[in-house]
Amino acid sequence: MIPPLHPIADAIRQYHRFLVTSHVNPDGDAIGSMLAMAGILRTLHKEVVIYNESGLPRRFDWVRGGEAIVAALPDRKPEVIIILDCGDVRRPGETIQPWLTTLPIINLDHHLGNSHFGTYNWVDQRMAATGEMVGMLARVFGIPLAGPLGEALYLALTADTGDFCYNNTRPQTLEMAAEILRQGLKPGPFYERKHSTGSLAQIQMRGEVMQKAQLFADGRICLFQFTQELFSRTGTGPEDTEGLVNEGLAIRGVLVSVSLREERDRIKFSLRSKGEINVQTVATRFGGGGHRNAAGGNLITTDMEEAIGTLIPAITAELEEACSSTAS
Ligand SMILES: [Mn+2]
């Protein structure tokens, strides 16, 4: 089978004025994919605006080229919009929706259950990161994975693979990383920059959340809670919660780690699981999505107890099902 890589490359060749975007509250894959895609387009002498409704989160302020990401739509409409790392057309946020119903869309993504909302779609859930797909596009155009472009791709790859530790890390992922290293990226200094963006308040807030962690379902589910009260008391915010949910999996016997975060009108949940346990199916049931071992979404409630009462039984049911299918 010919991957849709070449049709996507052909589509890119035929347009001139691009807007590149990704989901709100962008993670490392979203940021890295947007910057790398913009790098490719500039090399091809295209006009490009990098738009993200949330702008560039502070924890990514060290990323080269990040300042080019704008949080306001440009005055002039692009000819085409490239949407990266979004399982659903609503993920880039509300502001851009009118454009998404009228302009052609190129959809590059690796989420399970992507709805193929684009005019051109390349969706492959085997890809560790959307950045891996962008890197493959760069190769098709003969663009070396060097400089800021290589760095952006490396950010995407490391973000979605937990620095090449998760199940989704494939030989091809590491080969792309190797190619980036050969082009000059130094992994040590990169790791230091990526992991030195915290603050004392953040560390202390996270310590408090970990101290109050709870176990459910005979120790198979770990739960963390971030409340508005905690944020305002410690001078921290949603950005400071990043990645903490993974810590629950460090507990012996825990198969699923959950974090809940209070927002103004809803509660955001993040799920992480080990091995065959599929948390994407759980997230989908509540209108969310993601991958087998990492998923999330929103619960339309502001009541933590209600959120716990909804989510924990759903995860427990998924655990029971996974255990019974292994047993049979
Ligand atoms: Mn991703």
Side-chain angles (χ1 to χ4, degrees):
M1 192 191 106
I2 305 168
L5 178 56
H6 291 275
I8 293 286
D10 289 340
I12 288 174
R13 282 187 190 97
Q14 70 177 18
Y15 293 104
H16 181 66
R17 214 167 52 250
F18 290 76
L19 185 135
V20 173
T21 191
S22 185
H23 52 82
V24 293
N25 303 320
D27 55 11
D29 188 20
I31 296 290
S33 296
M34 288 192 298
L35 293 176
M37 181 56 88
I40 292 173
L41 295 171
R42 285 196 205 98
T43 308
L44 299 173
H45 306 290
K46 310 283 188 185
E47 273 179 42
V48 53
V49 170
I50 317 172
Y51 165 80
N52 191 282
E53 194 178 289
S54 310
L56 180 73
R58 217 177 125 223
R59 69 195 159 94
F60 294 117
D61 61 5
W62 55 273
V63 180
R64 275 197 287 173
E67 65 284 350
I69 298 173
V70 295
L73 288 173
D75 295 332
R76 196 169 175 216
K77 265 193 194 184
E79 291 168 353
V80 61
I81 295 177
I82 302 184
I83 302 185
L84 301 163
D85 202 40
C86 293
D88 186 276
V89 75
R90 308 216 63 93
R91 297 280 288 128
E94 283 311 307
T95 315
I96 198 172
Q97 290 303 320
W99 283 8
L100 298 184
T101 51
T102 52
L103 293 171
I105 294 172
I106 299 174
N107 165 23
L108 255 67
D109 182 43
H110 68 135
H111 287 91
L112 283 170
N114 181 298
S115 56
H116 287 74
F117 53 81
T119 318
Y120 309 91
N121 298 283
W122 179 22
V123 176
D124 192 340
Q125 63 189 49
R126 295 167 305 175
M127 296 290 168
T130 300
E132 191 173 340
M133 306 168 81
V134 177
M136 289 167 74
L137 261 176
R139 285 178 182 147
V140 166
F141 289 116
I143 300 169
L145 312 185
L149 186 138
E151 193 174 287
L153 291 176
Y154 198 77
L155 171 65
L157 297 180
T158 52
D160 271 19
T161 60
D163 298 309
F164 308 114
C165 288
Y166 302 156
N167 265 327
N168 59 357
T169 310
R170 302 178 306 147
Q172 292 92 326
T173 321
L174 292 171
E175 277 153 12
M176 186 172 286
E179 197 176 325
I180 297 167
L181 261 53
R182 269 192 207 97
Q183 293 288 342
L185 185 133
K186 299 273 176 283
F190 180 92
Y191 185 91
E192 276 176 20
R193 276 182 290 150
K194 185 178 164 207
H195 294 275
S196 313
T197 60
S199 63
L200 180 62
Q202 180 193 78
I203 292 285
Q204 290 176 335
M205 181 275 285
R206 291 165 74 104
E208 188 176 328
V209 169
M210 286 202 254
Q211 201 158 22
K212 291 177 180 168
Q214 293 169 274
L215 295 180
F216 294 88
D218 302 321
R220 291 174 297 168
I221 303 173
C222 177
L223 174 76
F224 299 111
Q225 297 179 54
F226 297 96
T227 61
Q228 287 299 332
E229 182 276 324
L230 175 74
F231 288 146
S232 54
R233 179 163 48 77
T234 56
T236 57
E239 242 193 86
D240 300 301
T241 66
E242 190 59 35
L244 186 125
V245 63
N246 296 305
E247 302 294 335
L249 296 180
I251 301 167
R252 202 186 292 264
V254 167
L255 298 175
V256 177
S257 182
V258 185
S259 79
L260 297 177
R261 193 172 89 203
E262 261 180 19
E263 302 212 337
R264 198 166 32 84
D265 54 352
R266 61 214 161 101
I267 290 174
K268 191 176 155 49
F269 66 88
S270 292
L271 307 172
R272 297 291 183 274
S273 67
K274 285 182 186 160
E276 297 303 312
I277 311 292
N278 189 342
V279 285
Q280 190 260 351
T281 54
V282 178
T284 306
R285 207 169 313 152
F286 300 103
H291 312 280
R292 186 181 65 188
N293 298 128
N298 296 290
L299 297 169
I300 308 305
T301 174
T302 53
D303 183 338
M304 269 295 189
E305 291 310 314
E306 188 189 329
I308 296 168
T310 306
L311 211 48
I312 297 296
I315 299 165
T316 308
E318 181 62 32
L319 283 174
E320 300 302 341
E321 198 170 309
C323 292
S324 66
S325 66
T326 323
S328 61

